[in-house]
Each structure stands twice: as structure tokens, then as C-alpha cells.
């Protein structure tokens, strides 16, 4: 295969991923509206005991949400997060985690 054909398809594929990532960011942003009450609109918590989510690893956030949902996290204000996590599907968790993981990154600037 001609190397220019490979470069062309790689360019097209990278554009597709950017559009898909941008879409997931916006979906996550919409799903995270309720999270913003405690964790802030920009992922920086407004109230001291609540953690900042901005720039946190997506895999960590998904794991934490699953732990709340399964009641493996029980300390502090866990009951509030358990109630929130109960309403989330696995896809919701992935979308919200992606949104917060991208906040403040260079990639996020390109998406908005």
C-alpha cells in the first residue's frame, strides 16, 4: 500500500477520534450537571470536604463510582455518592469520568 494512502487514512481516522472524543466530552458534561453541585462546574469543589475531580484519571473515577454503587466505599459522605452512583449506568460512569479527566487539558481546549 502506498505510504500516502496510509497517511491519508491515519489523518481521517484521527479526525474521527477527535469528533468522537468531543462528543463524549459534551455527553459527559451534560450527565455531570448534578455532580457540579458539590464538585464545582469546573471540577474544583466549592465545599471543603468534597474532592476536586478536574484532571483526575478516568479509570480512577469509574472505579470510584463503581465502588460507591457496590457499597465498597462507606466512609465520610459516601452515602451521598452511593445514592448518586445508584442512578448511573456503566456508560454514564464512563462519560462522566471522561469529562472530568479532560477538564483543564489541552485536548479539552480543542473540544470547546
Amino acid at each position: 500500500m502506498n505510504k500516502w494512502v496510509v497517511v491519508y487514512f491515519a489523518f481521517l481516522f484521527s479526525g474521527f477520534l477527535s469528533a468522537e472524543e468531543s462528543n463524549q466530552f459534551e455527553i459527559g458534561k451534560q450527565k455531570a450537571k448534578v455532580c457540579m453541585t458539590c464538585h464545582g462546574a469546573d471540577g474544583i469543589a466549592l465545599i471543603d470536604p468534597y474532592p476536586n475531580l478536574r484532571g483526575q484519571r478516568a479509570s480512577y473515577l469509574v472505579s470510584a463510582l463503581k465502588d460507591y454503587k457496590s457499597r465498597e466505599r462507606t466512609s465520610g459522605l459516601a452515602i451521598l455518592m452511593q445514592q448518586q452512583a445508584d442512578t448511573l449506568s456503566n456508560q454514564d460512569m464512563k462519560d462522566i469520568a471522561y469529562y472530568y479527566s479532560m477538564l483543564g487539558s489541552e485536548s479539552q481546549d480543542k473540544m470547546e
Side-chain angles (χ1 to χ4, degrees):
M1 186 181 289
N2 182 327
K3 74 176 182 178
W4 294 111
V5 172
V6 173
V7 169
Y8 175 74
F9 282 114
F11 176 76
L12 285 178
F13 185 68
S14 69
F16 174 74
L17 287 178
S18 293
E20 187 176 305
E21 290 171 346
S22 179
N23 190 38
Q24 186 177 15
F25 181 84
E26 289 304 318
I27 290 169
K29 184 177 183 178
Q30 291 306 310
K31 291 179 180 181
K33 294 255 185 224
V34 68
C35 309
M36 294 175 189
T37 303
C38 298
H39 297 286
D42 61 354
I44 304 299
L46 304 173
I47 304 166
D48 195 37
Y50 299 109
N52 296 328
L53 301 182
R54 180 187 190 100
Q56 186 60 262
R57 291 181 186 265
S59 58
Y60 169 77
L61 293 172
V62 169
S63 177
L65 287 168
K66 287 181 177 182
D67 287 349
Y68 282 120
K69 192 169 188 169
S70 67
R71 303 303 191 261
E72 290 182 38
R73 283 194 175 201
T74 58
S75 63
L77 299 170
I79 193 158
L80 298 174
M81 282 303 302
Q82 291 168 354
Q83 293 168 350
Q84 294 302 319
D86 284 346
T87 68
L88 301 175
S89 69
N90 285 340
Q91 187 61 51
D92 293 337
M93 291 179 192
K94 289 177 186 175
D95 293 336
I96 291 168
Y98 182 80
Y99 168 71
Y100 279 114
S101 73
M102 296 306 293
L103 277 180
S105 71
E106 289 180 23
S107 298
Q108 182 234 344
D109 295 337
K110 294 175 186 175
M111 289 182 221
E112 293 188 316

